[in-house]
Amino acid sequence: MKLDDLRRKIDEIDEKLVELLSQRAELAKKAAALKGERVFDASREEEIIRHILSLNKGPISDEELTYLFREIISICRRLEKPLRVAYWGPEGTFTHLAALRRFGSSADYVSCERLEDVFEEVLKGGADLGVVPVENSTEGVVARTLDMFLEMEELKICGELVIPIRHLLLSPADSIKKIKRVYSVPQALGQCRRWLRENLPNVEIIETSTSAKAAQMCKEDPEGAAIGSEAAKEIYGLNTLFEGIEDVPGNSTRFLVIGKEEAAPTGRDKTTIIFAVKHRAGALYRALAAFDKYDVNLTMLESRPSRRTSWEYVFFADFQGHIKEERIKKALDKLAEEALFIKVLGSYPEANRE
């Protein structure tokens, strides 16, 4: 085919796409009228994405197709009702990137200076949903996120996503030889510890509250650098001195979506609970045996101080399955025989590893 013929075919497909997208938007508005006040249906959205990916034969990658349909869903959702999403900011943090990737550019975003503020915005109704980091593949859990669930038990986990973390060394300077200070959050410093030791052994390390704050501070320092994202580079107008400075290839972070609504089962779900066990020998061993008995796969187990009595701890556990499944109900009933209390923080669609 000649170039003109190919272009004509592309134009015809574009015309059909516009017509179909308009039809989809109209149907989404009608569906919104039927589902009432519910602002976010994680189960339905994951069902759409999984179905779309099952149809994908290329050459568009699954990641690119997911991004495309997240944006389509975001636009259609805005026609129903604008979604307000709080995130640990400012702009340019990896949490901001995660929120954009999950809810698209058509949502209204609320930047929160502290991680605690994300929870408070959702609890008070200033935002419909919040996005917070909970676990990194090399540095482990974000303890403050877990602790906030002890303080704000009204909120639920209604979704999760996992994104790859690629750290850049950013600076207003044009050479690493000029760098005397590095600004970063502790988590990123931990993920780039070896690289910094080998390449910038004598610089001053200055910890910041967020990666975007680090970018802001280094922008004003001609001898400063920050560990940040591609988004931070663009937003704050910095140079990339080095790419991929994380010590472990494939580094990724898991983020939670918090809200007030529960997600329906999808067939591939995850549940998060908090529990405490009795103070007697073997109590935790017997408690965890409940998951083995009913073939429930634990994906995370983390202890945290109870914040009520000194030297008492609670356990956060993630496992595959939905609270409405019969085997999960039986496992939790068995766990209750050894537990002082159990609280289900949420059952939600298990994230694709992007």
Side-chain angles (χ1 to χ4, degrees), residues 111-317:
S111 172
C112 297
E113 184 175 348
R114 304 179 307 149
L115 190 148
E116 294 90 332
D117 296 338
V118 179
F119 284 80
E120 291 173 1
E121 280 291 327
V122 178
L123 186 66
K124 295 175 181 178
D128 301 304
L129 301 164
V131 177
V132 292
V134 68
E135 186 180 13
N136 179 265
S137 59
T138 60
E139 288 297 298
V141 299
V142 179
R144 189 60 187 138
T145 295
L146 298 184
D147 291 343
M148 286 305 299
F149 284 110
L150 291 172
E151 298 178 21
M152 298 189 178
E153 297 183 358
E154 301 92 335
L155 298 181
K156 300 181 181 297
I157 303 170
C158 49
E160 69 166 3
L161 70 157
V162 178
I163 66 169
I165 302 297
R166 185 167 177 78
H167 289 300
L168 310 180
L169 187 71
L170 306 174
S171 177
D174 57 7
S175 171
I176 192 173
K177 295 178 180 179
K178 299 178 181 179
I179 303 307
K180 295 183 179 179
R181 287 167 291 279
V182 172
Y183 302 87
S184 179
V185 292
Q187 295 90 342
L189 288 169
Q191 295 161 29
C192 304
R193 187 179 295 112
R194 185 173 65 247
W195 190 95
L196 290 170
R197 185 173 62 247
E198 293 174 355
N199 294 274
L200 292 168
N202 300 315
V203 298
E204 179 186 3
I205 300 297
I206 301 174
E207 293 188 359
T208 61
S209 57
T210 67
S211 56
K213 182 68 173 177
Q216 290 176 338
M217 293 175 69
C218 97
K219 183 178 181 179
E220 306 302 323
D221 183 353
E223 297 178 326
I227 299 174
S229 65
E230 186 70 34
K233 170 194 171 180
E234 298 299 327
I235 291 169
Y236 301 106
L238 298 168
N239 300 317
T240 300
L241 300 185
F242 281 91
E243 296 183 5
I245 66 172
E246 60 277 2
D247 294 335
V248 180
N251 180 28
S252 60
T253 295
R254 175 177 167 234
F255 296 86
L256 298 178
V257 178
I258 58 173
K260 297 179 180 179
E261 299 175 350
E262 296 183 350
T266 67
R268 199 177 82 196
D269 302 291
K270 185 183 286 185
T271 297
T272 300
I273 65 171
I274 310 174
F275 69 96
V277 296
K278 302 167 185 176
H279 288 284
R280 62 188 189 193
L284 180 59
Y285 170 80
R286 287 189 294 272
L288 295 179
F291 297 104
D292 177 60
K293 179 177 177 64
Y294 292 101
D295 196 28
V296 177
N297 182 35
L298 276 172
T299 58
M300 185 189 78
L301 181 66
E302 191 75 23
S303 65
R304 295 295 300 155
S306 70
R307 294 177 169 264
R308 295 173 182 171
T309 305
S310 296
W311 307 112
E312 286 192 353
Y313 292 83
V314 298
F315 296 91
F316 288 80

Side-chain angles (χ1 to χ4, degrees), residues 4-64:
D4 287 344
D5 294 329
L6 291 171
R7 286 174 171 171
R8 186 163 53 252
K9 284 284 187 181
I10 290 173
D11 289 343
E12 291 173 1
I13 292 172
D14 287 345
E15 290 170 6
K16 292 178 182 178
L17 283 173
V18 171
E19 181 181 354
L20 290 172
L21 286 171
S22 296
Q23 291 178 21
R24 190 193 192 287
E26 287 297 334
L27 290 172
K29 289 169 66 176
K30 292 179 180 179
L34 294 175
K35 70 183 182 182
E37 294 298 316
R38 191 178 183 91
V39 295
F40 174 61
D41 190 339
S43 302
R44 172 57 182 156
E45 292 191 10
E46 288 306 310
E47 180 182 293
I48 292 171
I49 297 298
R50 291 172 187 175
H51 176 63
I52 291 301
L53 295 183
S54 73
L55 301 175
N56 188 25
K57 297 178 180 178
I60 299 174
S61 70
D62 282 357
E63 183 178 357
E64 291 166 333

Side-chain angles (χ1 to χ4, degrees), residues 72-102:
I72 291 172
I73 293 170
S74 179
I75 292 167
C76 290
R77 188 194 293 116
R78 189 171 186 86
L79 294 174
E80 305 168 21
K81 177 186 176 182
L83 188 67
R84 287 180 60 81
V85 180
Y87 68 91
W88 188 18
E91 290 185 6
T93 61
F94 285 106
T95 309
H96 179 221
L97 176 62
L100 286 169
R101 186 169 296 192
R102 184 61 185 82

Side-chain angles (χ1 to χ4, degrees), residues 322-338:
H322 195 282
I323 189 65
K324 292 186 178 180
E325 293 180 42
E326 194 59 33
R327 68 187 179 96
I328 301 300
K329 292 179 182 178
K330 290 180 178 179
L332 293 183
D333 286 343
K334 183 68 176 174
L335 174 63
E337 295 176 9
E338 292 293 334

